[in-house]
Amino acid sequence: KMWLVTVAGDEFSWILPTLGLWFSSLLMRDEQDRTWLMSGRPYTYWLTGFFNPQGMLTAMKQEVCRKHQKDAQKWALDDIVYHTEVTNYEKVEAVKSGPAEGCYVHGLFLEGGAWSKDQAMLVESEPKTLFVPLPVLMVSANVKSEELKNRRDSYGAQGPYDCPCYKY
């Protein structure tokens, strides 16, 4: 565990098994940041390319909250939760514009399961396949009470499966 933090106690930004993987990831991260700087906001974000992905998602949540300040029901940041949908975009290149609200993210993988495009649900993974890429996700925010109502209406009393997302 001692090599996971710097002398100052900060967490290392990139933990990969080899220097080659670390360097190729650094180049991809630089490309995302440089493209964003030169060409403006991307249509989809490589979520795993951020040092602090939670910060990026919180910023998106704040943006959605500000957008709804003019509504009759003023949204407060403490009253909203994430809303995530799996899109039909298998490849990042297929995304031609950003969503009206929220953002598209890519670069996530499922471990021990797979996403069925036909059934629009999680299914068993193919034999001997541990990691499967997830399609592009649309992440937005919604008022907590409205999100709970939508989940009950769409998925019944138990609601959908809340799939955890791990940083490493």
Side-chain angles (χ1 to χ4, degrees):
K1 204 75 166 148
M2 69 181 221
W3 290 106
L4 296 180
V5 294
T6 65
V7 177
D10 299 327
E11 186 178 353
F12 276 125
S13 64
W14 231 243
I15 299 172
L16 290 173
T18 66
L19 182 60
L21 285 174
W22 179 87
F23 191 71
S24 63
S25 293
L26 177 66
L27 291 176
M28 290 177 3
R29 187 172 162 190
D30 177 65
E31 180 187 351
Q32 173 172 268
D33 293 345
R34 200 173 293 276
T35 303
W36 191 352
L37 180 65
M38 299 301 190
S39 306
R41 185 178 267 194
Y43 298 140
T44 178
Y45 297 91
W46 178 42
L47 191 63
T48 51
F50 287 104
F51 172 68
N52 182 11
Q54 298 93 332
M56 184 271 183
L57 292 173
T58 300
M60 178 276 309
K61 207 158 107 172
Q62 289 172 333
E63 189 176 76
V64 172
C65 189
R66 283 189 201 110
K67 193 174 183 179
H68 287 274
Q69 285 300 314
K70 296 177 179 95
D71 292 352
Q73 175 193 12
K74 294 190 185 295
W75 287 21
L77 191 57
D78 294 339
D79 296 334
I80 62 175
V81 294
Y82 293 111
H83 173 80
T84 306
E85 295 177 20
V86 180
T87 68
N88 291 326
Y89 299 121
E90 293 286 327
K91 303 267 186 224
V92 176
E93 296 78 27
V95 180
K96 300 299 181 200
S97 66
E101 190 172 274
C103 62
Y104 290 128
V105 297
H106 67 276
L108 298 177
F109 291 82
L110 289 170
E111 181 179 352
W115 180 258
S116 169
K117 190 175 177 182
D118 298 332
Q119 297 173 324
M121 61 186 269
L122 289 174
V123 296
E124 293 287 329
S125 61
E126 296 292 321
K128 299 182 182 180
T129 305
L130 185 58
F131 298 104
V132 178
L134 196 58
V136 174
L137 299 177
M138 194 282 294
V139 183
S140 188
N142 201 355
V143 176
K144 204 178 296 184
S145 58
E146 191 175 318
E147 183 68 17
L148 290 173
K149 181 187 176 308
N150 289 345
R151 286 171 161 230
R152 265 192 314 276
D153 293 347
S154 298
Y155 300 100
Q158 287 184 314
Y161 172 63
D162 287 326
C163 186
C165 185
Y166 298 102
K167 191 172 176 181
Y168 299 112

